[in-house]
Amino acid sequence: MKSWKSLAVIPLLVANLWAASPAAGDLPLPESVFPGLDPILKKAVQQSPRMINQTIDLEIAENDRIVARAGLLPNVATSYSYYRSKDRQATLYETPNTPNFINSFTLTKTPYSASVSQPLFYWGERRNTARVGEIRQSMTEGQYRDGYRQLAQALRGEYLRLVIVKLGLTKARFYRDFVNSQLQEAEERFAKKVISEADIIPARISAERAQIALERNETEMEISLRSFARLAGLGASFSEQDIPDAIPVIPSASAGLGRLAADYLKLTELPTLEASTLRRQLQIEELNYKNSRTRLWPKFSLTIGASQDEQQNYFGTGAKYKNSSLYGGITINWQIFDGFAARSAVRSSLARRRQMENDYKQLTEKLTEDAQLQAKQLDFAAREMSISDRYLISAEGIVYTREDEFRRGVRSEAEVSQAKIGLYDAQINAYSARRSYLLAIGDFLGLVVEDPVVANLSNK
């Protein structure tokens, strides 16, 4: 239980690592459109199962960094023994002064030793290894940051989809009621022998299909709610009442997005996770290359210590005595030949570095193209959203006209209901287009590393 409590405070270790760019703060995002989404995104940092795993990765990376740094620190070792032995001594031959004899005795000894060893000069190898641990930790922190951004983007998409699913459920209920009213009228006409049984069968089938569609939408809503709550770590506290009824009109953000794209394309070192990770891997490979070069060079260490042992003079006076020692000095460890392994390691490291440099060049070109393509996709999404909004206005006008004509007796109630069904379809299409545009903005901000949602990581 204590270990899980310690994991809860791990995000505090990275509290001041990242901050969002203020240039992206004014762009339309789901959490700015729906204030109820913002606390969900903030709570997901500690509650989401995905972020709990990411937090554990941070703890592992911190411990790995400590292990890599350990080579720079002194190595302290001690030993202490207590044992009893039964020994037997005998002469192998007789001398004039010493006759043959056999002697058995019990001996108790308590030897001990203590030593401290400190690396002095390893040609930078130990510092390079510690630096590799720090770089790997920073890579994990970048993955933690990007992992939360991806989680937030997924939650945005699911939250907006729930709005559309809720509207689809409302439409299914309305359509079921409409079809049932049509079926009731048909049943009354059938009872009066106005229509035949063949004429009423389509109405009955339509009612059954409407009921199936409603149940399917209810099931989809139930599954979607559980999926969203599980992804955000909300438990059973999130329900249909927490979902907004509509996605409002989204203003175009072409100017702000254009500035961000232009600033991103001017950068010499792209800040994306892929690019930064590859740059760090190049740094690690450079340090590995330096370590490989010094594998066959002499290494120097400082050692100090103390030891004590007990002995007994069996063939003299038989007295027991002890040896105590305090020592210190410099140890030289020099591996002169390793079967050309060091030379091969140097060449492999150089080859890997050239390979990574080539990969980084291709990645930079790809990310630049992705940014340009994403900017175009944003423009397409904005235009599609505009068309859907105009179509929605037209559908609303049709419903208003049909209701006015119904009041004047020109249209029937069924025709008004059919116009409302068309309005539901137009709303679903418009909400879907608005959702696509909002998610496209989030994807673009994530690509240029300007998503303001990562500021939640520094507010804990």
Side-chain angles (χ1 to χ4, degrees), residues 313-333:
N313 186 353
Y314 301 112
F315 300 103
T317 63
K320 186 183 286 189
Y321 64 94
K322 65 180 179 180
N323 291 329
S324 298
S325 176
L326 293 175
Y327 58 90
I330 296 177
T331 303
I332 301 177
N333 181 21

Side-chain angles (χ1 to χ4, degrees), residues 42-246:
K42 292 179 178 178
K43 292 179 181 178
V45 176
Q46 294 181 344
Q47 295 181 356
S48 172
R50 187 185 300 183
M51 291 308 298
I52 291 176
N53 287 338
Q54 293 276 353
T55 300
I56 296 174
D57 289 338
L58 278 182
E59 185 181 20
I60 294 173
E62 171 63 16
N63 291 323
D64 290 343
R65 182 194 66 82
I66 294 174
V67 171
R69 189 193 60 178
L72 293 172
L73 304 178
N75 185 14
V76 181
T78 62
S79 67
Y80 175 83
S81 300
Y82 173 86
Y83 56 86
R84 294 173 61 88
S85 64
K86 187 173 183 180
D87 296 347
R88 185 173 181 271
Q89 298 285 346
T91 56
L92 298 178
Y93 55 88
E94 183 179 4
T95 64
N97 298 325
T98 306
N100 288 338
F101 76 93
I102 298 175
N103 185 23
S104 298
F105 53 90
T106 301
L107 180 65
T108 301
K109 298 179 69 174
T110 57
Y112 69 85
S113 66
S115 64
V116 178
S117 178
Q118 171 64 51
L120 286 181
F121 189 68
Y122 276 61
W123 310 97
E125 177 185 314
R126 299 299 178 91
R127 288 195 303 272
N128 293 340
T129 302
R131 178 58 182 154
V132 168
E134 294 174 357
I135 294 173
R136 293 191 185 280
Q137 182 193 31
S138 66
M139 291 169 62
T140 304
E141 290 169 353
Q143 293 168 358
Y144 176 83
R145 172 181 180 270
D146 190 69
Y148 173 69
R149 188 201 63 78
Q150 292 183 12
L151 172 66
Q153 184 68 357
L155 289 174
R156 290 165 173 168
E158 288 301 307
Y159 191 83
L160 295 175
R161 194 177 74 84
L162 281 172
V163 179
I164 299 174
V165 172
K166 183 177 182 179
L167 178 61
L169 181 58
T170 302
K171 174 195 170 184
R173 289 167 178 163
F174 180 84
Y175 182 72
R176 189 273 312 271
D177 295 339
F178 168 69
V179 172
N180 285 343
S181 65
Q182 295 290 102
L183 175 61
Q184 183 178 0
E185 293 179 2
E187 291 286 359
E188 293 175 354
R189 296 176 64 191
F190 176 71
K192 297 177 181 178
K193 307 296 184 179
V194 177
I195 59 176
S196 65
E197 185 175 358
D199 294 327
I200 200 174
I201 288 178
R204 292 172 177 173
I205 292 177
S206 296
E208 292 181 13
R209 286 179 173 173
Q211 182 62 34
I212 293 173
L214 174 59
E215 293 176 4
R216 182 180 288 115
N217 278 268
E218 290 174 344
T219 302
E220 183 181 2
M221 171 62 74
E222 181 181 354
I223 294 174
S224 299
L225 284 172
R226 287 202 302 262
S227 177
F228 180 81
R230 182 170 56 252
L231 184 63
L234 298 176
S237 60
F238 192 76
S239 63
E240 183 178 344
Q241 289 70 29
D242 299 316
I243 305 173
D245 295 327

Side-chain angles (χ1 to χ4, degrees), residues 2-55:
K2 291 182 178 179
S3 61
W4 284 107
K5 290 182 178 179
S6 63
L7 291 178
V9 301
I10 292 297
L12 298 177
L13 298 176
V14 293
N16 297 319
L17 292 176
W18 310 291
S21 170
D26 297 332
L27 297 176
L29 287 169
E31 59 267 32
S32 61
V33 176
F34 300 107
L37 177 60
D38 188 57
I40 295 176
L41 296 178
K42 292 179 178 178
K43 292 179 181 178
V45 176
Q46 294 181 344
Q47 295 181 356
S48 172
R50 187 185 300 183
M51 291 308 298
I52 291 176
N53 287 338
Q54 293 276 353
T55 300

Side-chain angles (χ1 to χ4, degrees), residues 203-443:
R204 292 172 177 173
I205 292 177
S206 296
E208 292 181 13
R209 286 179 173 173
Q211 182 62 34
I212 293 173
L214 174 59
E215 293 176 4
R216 182 180 288 115
N217 278 268
E218 290 174 344
T219 302
E220 183 181 2
M221 171 62 74
E222 181 181 354
I223 294 174
S224 299
L225 284 172
R226 287 202 302 262
S227 177
F228 180 81
R230 182 170 56 252
L231 184 63
L234 298 176
S237 60
F238 192 76
S239 63
E240 183 178 344
Q241 289 70 29
D242 299 316
I243 305 173
D245 295 327
I247 300 177
V249 177
I250 307 300
S252 176
S254 301
L257 294 171
R259 288 194 301 270
L260 287 175
D263 294 340
Y264 176 80
L265 295 176
K266 292 178 183 178
L267 297 175
T268 56
E269 291 187 351
L270 300 181
T272 61
L273 176 64
E274 297 88 348
S276 62
T277 297
L278 197 49
R279 285 195 298 269
R280 292 186 176 105
Q281 289 175 345
L282 276 167
Q283 295 175 6
I284 292 175
E285 198 56 49
E286 176 64 22
L287 296 172
N288 290 336
Y289 164 73
K290 293 179 179 179
N291 286 349
S292 298
R293 288 185 57 198
T294 61
R295 280 178 59 175
L296 297 182
W297 296 6
K299 311 299 191 305
F300 301 87
S301 299
L302 174 65
T303 303
I304 59 174
S307 65
Q308 177 179 294
D309 197 4
E310 294 181 0
Q311 302 291 337
Q312 186 167 359
N313 186 353
Y314 301 112
F315 300 103
T317 63
K320 186 183 286 189
Y321 64 94
K322 65 180 179 180
N323 291 329
S324 298
S325 176
L326 293 175
Y327 58 90
I330 296 177
T331 303
I332 301 177
N333 181 21
W334 192 353
Q335 185 179 4
I336 298 176
F337 182 70
D338 63 353
F340 304 106
R343 185 175 66 178
S344 298
V346 170
R347 292 179 177 178
S348 296
S349 182
L350 288 173
R352 284 193 297 270
R353 190 170 63 180
R354 291 195 302 268
Q355 188 180 58
M356 288 181 183
E357 289 172 350
N358 185 45
D359 290 342
Y360 182 74
K361 180 181 178 181
Q362 296 181 26
L363 178 63
T364 301
E365 294 175 354
K366 176 182 178 299
L367 291 174
T368 302
E369 293 174 357
D370 288 346
Q372 296 171 341
L373 177 61
Q374 190 68 32
K376 292 182 180 179
Q377 295 295 336
L378 274 168
D379 180 63
F380 296 151
R383 290 160 63 185
E384 287 288 346
M385 181 178 67
S386 176
I387 293 174
S388 299
D389 288 345
R390 294 200 302 268
Y391 186 78
L392 175 59
I393 294 174
S394 175
E396 291 172 345
I398 291 175
V399 170
Y400 177 80
T401 301
R402 292 291 183 270
E403 289 177 339
D404 181 66
E405 292 174 341
F406 173 72
R407 286 191 295 269
R408 291 187 286 111
V410 179
R411 298 284 183 178
S412 65
E413 185 177 358
E415 291 176 308
V416 175
S417 298
Q418 290 174 348
K420 289 182 178 179
I421 293 173
L423 176 61
Y424 279 123
D425 291 332
Q427 287 175 331
I428 291 175
N429 291 333
Y431 294 175
S432 298
R434 294 169 188 176
R435 173 180 181 269
S436 298
Y437 182 65
L438 289 172
L439 292 182
I441 293 177
D443 290 337

